[in-house]
Amino acid sequence: MPRARLVAVGSALPERRLTNADLAKMVDTTDEWITTRTGIRERRIVDPGQRCSDLAEAAARACLEKAGTKAVDVDGIIVATITGDQLMPSVANLVQHRLGAVNAWGFDLLNACNGFVAALSTATCFIESGRAKRILVIGADVMSAIIDYEDRNTCILFGDGAGAVLVEAGDSQGHGVHGFELHSDGGGAAELALPGSGTVPHDAKAAVFQNGRVVFSHAVRRMAEVAESCVAGLGLTGADVDLIIPHQANIRIIEATAERLKVPMERVVVNIDRVGNTTAATIPLALAQADADGRLHEGTRILLVAFGGGFTWGACYLTWGR
Ligand code: UT7
């Protein structure tokens, strides 16, 4: 069975910064509250007219360039997002066309903050089954389009961005995805949701609702559980992880996950301070940050772990590179 190897990562962030000081002028909050409760200092926000597909395309181009791969050699494109330009066509189709990836199929995958882990797991199955050789897996979200900037419970948390990874078929004993685990619990549906985003009638503009305290307690428990279970399922422990690349929702959740695995924070990639919670983009953006910081090498042992609205959570253990 071929192994799904991750060979390159690219990212795209909007230029515009929204700092805690900016938010303190918009809602009743302070830099001190946001920093101590979440770890976020600033986030990036798109300019008017800049869409999810624009960020996804830019991240994909950066990734292909880094990989030295032509768009025509890509077989498939999976975009994890909850903020696509429109429900139809998919962002993946727009990206496929703009890249000139004429031999690629594409679809979007809707799994909130666990979207990238779910998309990477899906790509892994295509590759392991021999049905595809090269898949672009993209996490992209324009959260600013679905945030109520009068709601201090949510507006301080989220930002916009995109990251893309090229996943290739490789040798069965080589680097790549060694294992993943996905979970769902629709019992948490009401705690983190986007009312008005689907076909159920709603009187206001769609905006993220979150019961922060409830989501926090589930996130802490589930992220730690799935992180531990994913590595244990491979006969490994935290000692076999060089880098944890977690979903960036709250620095306190990230620290609790690392602590459970007994992995020191020096081995955890954190960029929440600079970009906030970008939903499906957090993990590929953090991967790109690790790459830019010279922390990704051939064979680096990485654990991805995420939790999000649904509830949905998952983890993936991989070794980096060709
Ligand atoms: O990415 C998908 C998954 N999402 C997550 O994992 C997020 C999970 N939740 C969280 O990260 C945290 O619950 C939050 C950061 C959202 C909130 O932090 P918290 O420590 O759980 O605060 P809280 O909701 O318990 O609120 C504490 C107090 C409340 O006031 P009272 O009731 O104690 O008087 C809030 O009204 O802080 C107040 N508050 C704020 N104060 C200043 C809530 N938001 C703010 C704010 N600025 N922006």
Side-chain angles (χ1 to χ4, degrees):
M1 186 170 78
R3 183 160 270 167
R5 56 189 187 189
L6 284 74
V7 301
V9 59
S11 65
L13 284 169
E15 289 294 319
R16 189 148 64 104
R17 290 179 154 82
L18 183 66
T19 65
N20 291 352
D22 295 330
L23 284 162
K25 291 183 202 139
M26 296 158 64
V27 289
D28 182 14
T29 193
T30 61
D31 173 43
E32 200 264 334
W33 192 96
I34 302 172
T35 309
T36 53
R37 299 283 179 130
T38 70
I40 303 168
R41 292 183 183 281
E42 62 179 34
R43 52 305 281 134
R44 301 295 187 91
I45 302 293
V46 291
D47 283 322
Q50 198 176 16
R51 306 284 176 218
C52 183
S53 61
D54 300 322
L55 295 178
E57 178 193 349
R61 285 189 188 282
C63 176
L64 288 178
E65 193 179 323
K66 195 120 212 202
T69 298
K70 293 193 186 72
V72 290
D73 293 326
V74 173
D75 300 329
I77 301 173
I78 306 176
V79 180
T81 184
I82 58 164
T83 54
D85 305 15
Q86 296 179 324
L87 271 181
M88 181 174 68
S90 70
V91 174
N93 274 278
L94 301 175
V95 171
Q96 178 267 342
H97 177 66
R98 292 187 208 159
L99 293 180
V102 291
N103 298 310
W105 43 258
F107 58 84
D108 290 0
L109 186 151
L110 209 74
N111 203 35
C113 296
N114 192 32
F116 185 79
V117 175
L120 177 61
S121 304
T122 305
T124 297
C125 293
F126 271 100
I127 296 221
E128 288 180 348
S129 69
R131 288 180 185 268
K133 287 207 159 32
R134 239 173 244 112
I135 301 179
L136 266 173
V137 179
I138 304 172
D141 269 305
V142 176
M143 295 303 291
S144 59
I146 55 164
I147 292 299
D148 172 0
Y149 282 95
E150 292 181 357
D151 177 7
R152 70 174 184 174
N153 292 300
T154 52
C155 74
I156 55 134
L157 300 171
F158 294 97
D160 305 335
V165 166
L166 184 66
V167 185
E168 277 185 2
D171 187 77
S172 62
Q173 298 305 311
H175 294 313
V177 174
H178 294 248
F180 62 83
E181 219 181 286
L182 297 170
H183 297 275
S184 282
D185 175 10
E191 310 296 352
L192 177 48
L194 186 50
S197 58
T199 53
V200 175
H202 184 70
D203 356 337
K205 184 178 175 284
V208 172
F209 164 82
Q210 175 169 245
N211 186 344
R213 253 175 246 191
V214 172
V215 176
F216 185 90
S217 65
H218 280 84
V220 164
R221 182 155 65 95
R222 296 308 198 179
M223 291 255 295
E225 264 173 23
V226 76
E228 195 167 49
S229 155
C230 182
V231 290
L234 295 164
L236 306 172
T237 68
D240 302 295
V241 177
D242 298 319
L243 284 182
I244 298 182
I245 305 208
H247 172 52
Q248 316 270 322
N250 188 314
I251 187 67
R252 293 180 288 146
I253 300 173
I254 294 172
E255 285 168 353
T257 306
E259 196 177 317
R260 172 80 162 258
L261 280 182
K262 299 190 178 64
V263 171
M265 283 303 287
E266 303 83 74
R267 287 199 268 133
V268 182
V269 179
V270 175
N271 63 349
I272 190 172
D273 51 326
R274 284 153 282 166
V275 294
N277 183 347
T278 55
T279 303
T282 58
I283 288 180
L285 278 176
L287 257 176
Q289 185 65 55
D291 191 29
D293 294 343
R295 299 175 80 183
L296 280 191
H297 306 287
E298 196 75 13
T300 301
R301 300 167 301 172
I302 297 171
L303 180 68
L304 313 180
V305 56
F307 177 91
F311 295 135
T312 167
W313 62 102
C316 177
Y317 182 84
L318 61 105
T319 50
W320 181 260
R322 280 198 164 102

